[in-house]
Amino acid sequence: MATVLQAYQFALDPTGQQQAMLSSHCGASRFAFNWGLARVKAVWDQRAAERSYGVPESELTPSLNWSAYSLRKSWNAVKDEVAPWWGENSKEAYATGFANLAEALGNWHTSRTGKRAGKRVGFPRFRSKRHRTSCRFSTGSFGLSESDRRHVRLPRIGLVRTHESTRKLARHVERGTARIRSATVSFQRGRWHVSFSVEITKTEPEPAVTGGTVGVDLGVGHLAVLSTGETVANPKHLDAAQRELRRLQRRAARQQGPDKRTKRTPSNRWRTTQARIAKLHTAVANARTDGLHKLSTRLVAEFDTVVVEDLHVAGMVRNRRLARAVSDVGMSELRRQLDYKTTWTGRQLVVADRWYPSSKSCNDCGAVKAKLRLSERTFTCDHCGYRTDRDLNAARNLAGLASSPSCGATKNEPAGNPRKTSPAGTGYRHGKTPTQRAGANAA
């Protein structure tokens, strides 16, 4: 038995008054974030101005501690003057804004000092009303309703009806195998949602139905090709919705939309059309996520070891001819689901190295082709004459990595971003290396 953190999200069906209270709480969180950020920027600008006048470091304006605790302490001292209406919302709304600000400033600082890997994180920006609104409750009376399974309880808001039953989470709570840690309400995809962060105790996983190892080759023509020979069709949800999406977007183009330059406000018909477009995108995203969940759950339930590729999806979507098709597949989402589901069930996830030639290698003799065009859908080995489907050959090569992970695979490790091992391309364009590096290599 193991204890894991799991999220349960439910769509809410609030009344008009409850919608106003939810919006007020999320607005209070945004207000606290912007207020704290303004104080931090004011102190930074003041210290920078004093340095420009030659003021010694010991005589500069004292720096402001941007921890969530310090920000809340400063807020409590002036909240009656800054926001006389603060009592209309729960204190957790303001704590959420300060916690988000402290995390954003911490991420920026660690990225700036080189302690954070990955893409450079910029300085936090002020949040507008168009920003994704959310509010987190970690104290107070929140959780599921004790009377039925179609309501949730939120602090200061009360019982809110849900669009779906909460029985899955309720059964865990009744058995004592789950503890709700926090609740986060957010407005996204045209609906209010609540997400519960739950500490849940997982029982011993059931043994795999089939067992063994399966290699999964993801693609655009097919969602996935398994090493067992099974082909999972790509439903192409976005392509199916393109006709209706184009029609709605053409309608919105003919209507009066917003214009920041002339400060023109959008018409009600434009807002209605935009709501229909958002609803269509939501349906597409939900259908895609549902299909990926079903596939990942089936793979984890049937096999002991799952082998996938570490695909560079961000680079693939840079191709304007493939960007929409690649984005519609959801390759990164499937990888993410397999990562935590294999951990929960005690299975093994093997991730092939990004540069492992799964498509170019012959599954029969192991020979590697020098070139293999994307248009060549049938793999033919020049060494032994082995001939099979390109994707099936890649899936079987991936399955073979489970027995020899040293050939370019990692086990249950997070996705990395390996740099090019060759010095070519790190200097000038067209693969030319810097002069000093070339001279050093020649010496």
Side-chain angles (χ1 to χ4, degrees), residues 234-252:
N234 185 4
K236 299 182 179 179
H237 299 288
L238 185 58
D239 281 354
Q242 278 301 310
R243 182 177 180 182
E244 179 69 11
L245 185 61
R246 292 191 187 101
R247 186 181 68 83
L248 292 174
Q249 289 174 339
R250 286 196 299 266
R251 175 184 294 181

Side-chain angles (χ1 to χ4, degrees), residues 43 45-56 59-62:
V43 173
D45 294 341
Q46 179 67 21
R47 289 171 62 87
E50 292 173 354
R51 287 193 184 97
S52 65
Y53 286 104
V55 178
E59 300 179 6
L60 293 178
T61 301

Side-chain angles (χ1 to χ4, degrees), residues 114-225:
K115 299 178 181 178
R116 179 188 176 94
K119 188 178 179 180
R120 187 75 175 266
V121 178
F123 193 79
R125 299 181 180 180
F126 292 100
R127 294 184 175 180
S128 67
K129 293 182 179 180
R130 293 182 295 272
H131 192 271
R132 179 177 177 270
T133 57
S134 64
C135 178
R136 181 173 178 266
F137 301 98
S138 57
T139 61
S141 177
F142 64 89
L144 304 180
S145 173
E146 298 177 357
S147 58
D148 62 2
R149 295 180 177 177
R150 290 298 299 270
H151 289 82
V152 296
R153 183 184 298 105
L154 298 174
R156 301 293 296 273
I157 301 174
L159 291 177
V160 184
R161 184 174 173 83
T162 60
H163 279 284
E164 55 188 324
S165 175
T166 62
R167 61 181 179 272
K168 289 186 177 180
L169 177 57
R171 289 168 181 169
H172 281 289
V173 174
E174 292 173 358
R175 290 195 299 262
T177 58
R179 183 178 70 88
I180 300 178
R181 302 168 68 248
S182 64
T184 303
V185 294
S186 60
F187 185 78
Q188 52 184 334
R189 302 188 294 272
R191 281 183 176 181
W192 284 100
H193 295 78
V194 60
S195 178
F196 292 108
S197 176
V198 183
E199 266 186 11
I200 186 168
T201 303
K202 294 287 185 180
T203 58
E204 292 296 332
E206 298 181 358
V209 177
T210 305
T213 303
V214 61
V216 183
D217 182 77
L218 302 178
V220 175
H222 301 288
L223 176 60
V225 176

Side-chain angles (χ1 to χ4, degrees), residues 345-398:
T345 56
R347 308 290 196 264
Q348 187 180 44
L349 177 65
V350 179
V351 182
D353 185 79
R354 183 168 295 178
W355 312 112
Y356 174 68
S358 59
S359 298
K360 297 180 181 179
S361 301
C362 177
N363 182 59
D364 189 31
C365 66
V368 181
K369 296 175 70 71
K371 285 187 177 181
L372 183 65
R373 294 194 302 269
L374 188 61
S375 58
E376 299 180 30
R377 307 313 306 171
T378 301
F379 177 86
T380 303
C381 181
D382 300 331
H383 185 264
C384 66
Y386 178 71
R387 183 182 179 88
T388 186
D389 180 75
R390 171 199 180 109
D391 298 331
L392 179 59
N393 177 72
R396 289 174 176 172
N397 285 329
L398 292 174

